[in-house]
Amino acid sequence: MTVRQFTAARGIAAARFWGMGLLGSAVLAASAQVAVPMWPVPATLQTLAVLLLGALGGSRLGVTSVALYLAEGAMGLPVFANGTGGIAVLAGPTAGYLLGFLGAAWIAGRAGQGALRQAAVLGIAHLVIFVPGVAWLGGFVGWERAILAGFVLFLPGTAVKTALAFAVLRAAARR
């Protein structure tokens, strides 16, 4: 392989990676629009998308997709829940959850092959979203409300989304 061929191959690989990252950010933006209005945090399919982006694409692609999504939202594109965007969202009550997506995508990318490991890693990844989310939300509504409205009320949906991510990951592993 010549230097020119090597350079071209690397360029194609980089374009493919960034293209997949943009596609991942679009999937995340679409999942944000499937929202059930709740106060102070809407219930969306974003956490499912974050887990799948990391678990199926790997940590690097998952984090890249989330970072692109956050950058798009920060620039004012209407990618956040209910078609919102802008820096104000990244400073508002849901900002901790949004930033938690980065760590969750990275952790989900470490799911590995075994079923027990995958289930545990996906559950931990979901918790990685809740920790900064509830901590940040507590500054807006107080700790008791943050824990109840930002964590406890989401547990049933979180269990379903974690199980769904696990099922998709197991199905993909069989292919």
Side-chain angles (χ1 to χ4, degrees), residues 14 16 30 39 43 48 59 81-82 97 99 110 118-119 132 134 144 146 148 151 154 157 161 175:
R16 183 176 294 135
W39 180 89
L48 173 61
S59 292
N82 301 310
Y97 298 95
L99 295 176
R110 303 284 189 241
Q118 288 173 340
V134 171
E144 189 175 317
L148 179 62
F151 177 65
F154 286 92
K161 289 185 276 187
R175 297 184 108 226

Side-chain angles (χ1 to χ4, degrees), residues 44-62:
T44 68
L45 292 180
Q46 289 172 288
T47 58
L48 173 61
V50 168
L51 266 57
L52 289 174
L53 287 169
L56 295 174
S59 292
R60 187 170 164 240
L61 183 59

